[in-house]
Amino acid sequence: MAPTATTGPAPTATEPAVARPPRPSGDRALSIGTMVVMAADFLVLGALVAAYFAVKSGSEVWPPKGVAVGTYIPTVVTITAVLSAFSAQWAAFAARRNDQRNVAIGFALTIFLGLAMVNAEWLALSQAGFGVRSHAYGTLYFLLIGYHIVHALVALPLMGIVGGRALAGHFPAARADGVRATAIFWFATTGIWYVVVTALFLMSPHA
Amino acid sequence: MTALSDHKTIGKLFLVASVTFAVVGGALGLLMRAQVPDAGSYRQLFTLHGVVMIFLFLLPAWLGLASAVVPLQVGARRVAFPRTHALSFWLFVAGAAMVISSPLVSDVVSGWTLDSPLPVGDTSGGRGQGPELLILGLILVAVAAVATAANLIVTMLQLRAPELSLRRIPLFSWSVLVSSAVMLMALPVLIGALMMLFVDRHYGGQIFSSAANKGGDPLLWPRLFWFGAYPLLWALVIPALGAMCEIIPVFARRTLASHSRAVAAIGAIGVLALAGWGSEIPELAPPLFALGALAVLAPVAAVLLNILGTLRGTQVAGMGSKPVRLGSVPPLAVLTGITVAAAGLMGALVSAIDAGGSTHFSTWSVATQHLLFFGVSVVGVLAATHFWAPKLWGRHLAEGAGKFSLLALVGGLHLAFLPMFLLGLGGAAAGEAGSGSSPLEAISTAGAFALAFGLLLFAANFLTSAVAGWGREAEADPWGGFTLEWATSSPPPPHNFDELPALASATPLLDVASQLEASQLELESVH
């Protein structure tokens, strides 16, 4: 398999790296743009997490009395998130090889796993036994998990569209960056879940 | 790519929208100074005036200038994501419309920091209230700004001309890169905070609630707000400084005293802007934040001294037909802008040293913020618009009206805010309607009128040129510019450049002119 996604010729002995002007080619603009936007997106999440820990540090009992959310569903969602990252990368690798059928298969698998995650999270919210209005913990519990669900609900149709278009032959190796950007969006979505699960469950005592 | 996703069109639309909102915001500020009798109306105007000036005027003005100029300066044919660029603009318009119309729904009296009594007090007032519309509008505006900043960053990183290394990008583009990075770090926190505030108000959340047994923390709001807003204020000053660094050398026919020091100083402002956010919160203000607020002043002063030092340098070779013209509007604006910046720096310096003293949360801090942040930024907008208008839509802004608006604006800034330093020392609190009886207050009011008149005149000058097409037609390079945008026609074609000159420094056109002059001298010596 020949590498197709190089950004320029490597410097040789006759052409020292310092003398060669940089060559921004623009062919990775979409994936770099996605990374920049997702970095900003993580800072929005950062504000929510900061609020969570600020409220937590000001409370004597944490989580508040009567809260019993359990760790079963979050554990299942976390394992699914890890698996879905592999299937999304499957699609990205396939795009580089110009294998558009496997792009569609990778994204179809990711959509399946993503739907399972959203379903489990929805179940966790509906069985929480408290609401947004109950207390600050409740507000942030719904906001943090909701923030992940919203991202998944954007990513799932996006992967559907890109996967479908790949089947129609719209993503040859030269345009693999679109597939890579979609995969990056999904990685960031799973990343949001890891942050949420760390704040809400790993760093807070739960029965 | 359609005309509506051309970065020059989007940039111009951002500018037109921002200047229109400046007129609205200026009118609101003027009403405030005219001493509206009842305190509730005063608070309402106080809120809208601040929100409009920052989020609907200065922010989109710089986004517009950056959108239009940066791709040209770095030799790109377009921005990285033209359709996202257009979407950002329309998101901004939708958000701005929501912000402007919010007081029509119900009273919005929280101040521009949205801190009293919005998160702490009454959150049970039902749905669809004015403050909620304001919050949603601000979220849309901030999202538009983040998207535009990301677009500009990727454009500079990925689409710049092949020979243009990051060290060679012109100072305005560099300042936009730094400012965009600051916005990308600051605005998302503000968006997160506004989201939580909206959930609290609209869905009965308890995050900022002061109700017992609910676990909320009202003091969380100012921390999150200033973590985002304080760097944002600097992000609106940084491009003004970058534009100043470009303008003075062109009109003085000298290269900047030190390009590399300006690059370092502008970068340092970007980093240190993130350090001083706690200095604006009465309950916090530990020494570390005071130190951060103090440290950021040093690179600002370094940039200003760099600009002034340029005037002492030797004139550059080449472009002999272009004389030194420091009397034109752009360089005049920069030089008078430096006086505004100096007054603001003085205020900020005293405040940073006088931790917890009478300069805090009085009209002293109002004067400092208005001179340093608003003053420098708005004079920068005026300078940059006069400088780049001939390039962007092929028409010069009227020179006489420009000088007059500059005089009113800068004179107004000094008259309105220098007395406030003294009033602040006398104990006048910020954000309250004064009695209007003392001579200092009368001077301040007169200054505010002059400032508003200057803004109005600038707006009229700008809109008649940009929208109605008035004014002298511009040649491709009317000022004898040093950077790439002057190497194409005015206005540029949709693809920006037919061909690019060689790029061996941050001032490629100067290099071309110097080489031409050198070869002519060589020819003459041969003959």
Side-chain angles (χ1 to χ4, degrees):
Chain A
M1 180 184 68
T4 51
T6 53
T7 52
T12 61
T14 52
E15 189 190 25
V18 281
R20 194 169 58 89
R23 287 162 202 236
S25 57
D27 60 357
R28 296 196 61 174
L30 199 54
S31 54
I32 291 177
T34 308
M35 280 190 245
V36 171
V37 169
M38 293 323 284
D41 198 39
F42 266 80
L43 288 167
V44 178
L45 179 68
L48 304 185
V49 171
Y52 175 84
F53 283 111
V55 169
K56 183 186 170 193
S57 71
S59 303
E60 288 170 13
V61 186
W62 197 262
K65 272 183 196 164
V67 170
V69 286
T71 52
Y72 177 71
I73 292 177
T75 309
V76 171
V77 174
T78 307
I79 294 169
T80 317
V82 174
L83 288 175
S84 72
F86 281 101
S87 57
Q89 185 59 36
W90 174 350
F93 278 149
R96 262 182 16 192
R97 291 194 312 270
N98 207 6
D99 179 354
Q100 308 213 31
R101 191 168 150 267
N102 269 300
V103 171
I105 293 175
F107 277 148
L109 259 177
T110 315
I111 291 170
F112 172 71
L113 293 169
L115 282 173
M117 284 166 72
V118 171
N119 180 47
E121 286 169 63
W122 198 265
L123 185 69
L125 291 183
S126 62
Q127 291 186 342
F130 54 84
V132 174
R133 292 163 180 266
S134 305
H135 32 60
Y137 175 86
T139 313
L140 283 160
Y141 184 85
F142 274 79
L143 251 177
L144 283 166
I145 296 181
Y147 196 66
H148 178 252
I149 292 179
V150 166
H151 278 78
L153 290 181
V154 173
L156 295 177
L158 184 69
M159 288 189 290
I161 292 166
V162 174
R165 285 186 60 186
L167 270 187
H170 292 182
F171 286 101
R175 291 188 59 196
D177 201 45
V179 176
R180 191 188 297 130
T182 310
I184 288 170
F185 188 80
W186 182 255
F187 297 148
T189 303
T190 59
I192 288 170
W193 175 256
Y194 303 139
V195 174
V196 169
V197 88
T198 305
L200 280 183
F201 299 97
L202 291 182
M203 295 180 71
S204 302
H206 279 277
Chain B
M1 187 171 63
T2 63
L4 269 179
S5 55
D6 184 341
H7 71 93
K8 301 176 287 294
T9 311
I10 300 292
K12 192 170 146 186
L13 283 173
F14 259 123
L15 270 171
V16 169
S18 80
V19 170
T20 309
F21 287 125
V23 174
V24 176
L28 289 171
L30 203 62
L31 275 174
M32 264 168 65
R33 276 306 337 168
Q35 300 296 339
V36 180
D38 98 80
S41 307
Y42 182 84
R43 289 290 300 175
Q44 178 139 346
L45 289 171
F46 179 74
T47 301
L48 258 200
H49 154 77
V51 167
V52 167
M53 279 300 174
I54 292 163
F55 291 97
L56 306 194
F57 170 44
L58 291 177
L59 179 65
W62 285 118
L63 290 178
L65 278 162
S67 295
V69 173
V70 165
L72 289 168
Q73 276 205 328
V74 300
R77 295 166 68 91
R78 57 175 175 88
V79 289
F81 311 111
R83 278 174 291 189
T84 310
H85 201 196
L87 176 70
S88 309
F89 172 71
W90 294 110
L91 274 181
F92 165 76
V93 171
M98 287 159 84
V99 169
I100 285 281
S101 56
S102 63
L104 303 177
V105 177
S106 68
D107 285 357
V108 183
V109 293
S110 53
W112 86 272
T113 54
L114 308 178
D115 57 355
S116 65
L118 197 55
V120 187
D122 175 29
T123 56
S124 58
R127 291 167 181 228
Q129 285 201 321
E132 292 177 12
L133 201 58
L134 175 69
I135 294 166
L136 286 181
L138 284 178
I139 291 177
L140 280 188
V141 169
V143 167
V146 167
T148 310
N151 211 339
L152 289 170
I153 287 179
V154 179
T155 303
M156 278 184 265
L157 293 182
Q158 284 282 297
L159 297 189
R160 65 180 191 273
E163 295 91 7
L164 199 70
S165 68
L166 272 182
R167 282 172 56 193
R168 284 180 191 161
I169 69 170
L171 279 167
F172 178 65
S173 292
W174 169 246
S175 69
V176 168
L177 187 66
V178 173
S179 162
S180 299
V182 172
M183 279 191 210
L184 274 179
M185 283 186 259
L187 282 174
V189 177
L190 202 58
I191 294 171
L194 288 166
M195 270 168 47
M196 288 188 272
L197 191 56
F198 184 77
V199 168
D200 263 21
R201 288 191 61 86
H202 195 77
Y203 296 107
Q206 304 289 344
I207 300 168
F208 303 116
S209 158
S210 53
N213 300 326
K214 296 290 188 185
D217 183 1
L219 290 181
L220 195 54
W221 171 259
R223 286 164 207 215
L224 286 170
F225 177 84
W226 280 111
F227 190 92
Y230 180 81
L232 174 67
L233 294 178
W234 281 113
L236 300 179
V237 171
I238 292 169
L241 295 173
M244 288 174 165
C245 288
E246 298 250 348
I247 289 169
I248 285 293
V250 169
F251 287 86
R253 313 310 303 159
R254 295 164 167 90
T255 49
L256 192 70
S258 172
H259 180 86
S260 56
R261 280 184 202 165
V263 166
I266 287 172
I269 300 169
V271 173
L272 293 169
L274 299 164
W277 59 273
S279 61
E280 301 286 341
I281 306 169
E283 297 82 18
L284 275 180
L288 198 63
F289 290 128
L291 202 65
L294 186 63
V296 70
L297 305 178
V300 176
V303 172
L304 300 178
L305 290 174
N306 206 337
I307 295 168
L308 289 176
T310 305
L311 298 174
R312 296 183 55 198
T314 48
Q315 282 193 30
V316 294
M319 301 187 186
S321 62
K322 305 283 183 187
V324 173
R325 282 195 304 196
L326 285 174
S328 306
V329 177
L332 267 185
V334 174
L335 295 174
T336 51
I338 289 176
T339 66
V340 175
L345 280 176
M346 184 275 296
L349 193 66
V350 173
S351 265
I353 295 167
D354 173 46
S358 61
T359 60
H360 289 261
F361 315 108
S362 66
T363 54
W364 181 288
S365 57
V366 174
T368 302
Q369 285 173 0
H370 278 83
L371 289 167
L372 192 57
F373 297 124
F374 174 72
V376 176
S377 196
V378 76
V379 176
V381 167
L382 191 144
T385 313
H386 272 269
F387 185 57
W388 278 302
K391 174 54 60 190
L392 297 178
W393 50 89
R395 297 278 170 180
H396 283 273
L397 264 61
E399 181 92 1
K403 282 181 183 167
F404 208 56
S405 63
L406 180 67
L407 179 73
L409 193 66
V410 174
L413 278 166
H414 283 301
L415 275 182
F417 299 113
L418 293 180
M420 281 203 186
F421 282 128
L422 299 174
L423 287 168
L425 288 181
E432 285 168 17
S435 64
S437 55
S438 76
L440 282 175
E441 281 185 51
I443 295 172
S444 181
T445 305
F449 274 98
L451 169 55
F453 174 71
L455 262 181
L456 204 64
L457 193 56
F458 165 67
N461 194 1
F462 166 81
L463 291 173
T464 50
S465 168
V467 180
W470 291 12
R472 192 158 47 90
E473 214 166 300
E475 49 193 292
D477 185 7
W479 313 120
F482 298 167
T483 41
L484 268 185
E485 72 270 31
W486 306 108
T488 184
S489 60
S490 297
H495 52 280
N496 285 352
F497 297 96
D498 290 327
E499 58 175 337
L500 283 173
L503 302 165
S505 77
T507 53
L509 297 204
L510 199 57
D511 300 340
V512 172
S514 308
Q515 281 162 10
L516 261 180
E517 194 170 88
S519 58
Q520 273 169 359
L521 283 175
E522 210 170 297
L523 267 178
E524 282 167 17
S525 64
V526 169
H527 293 294

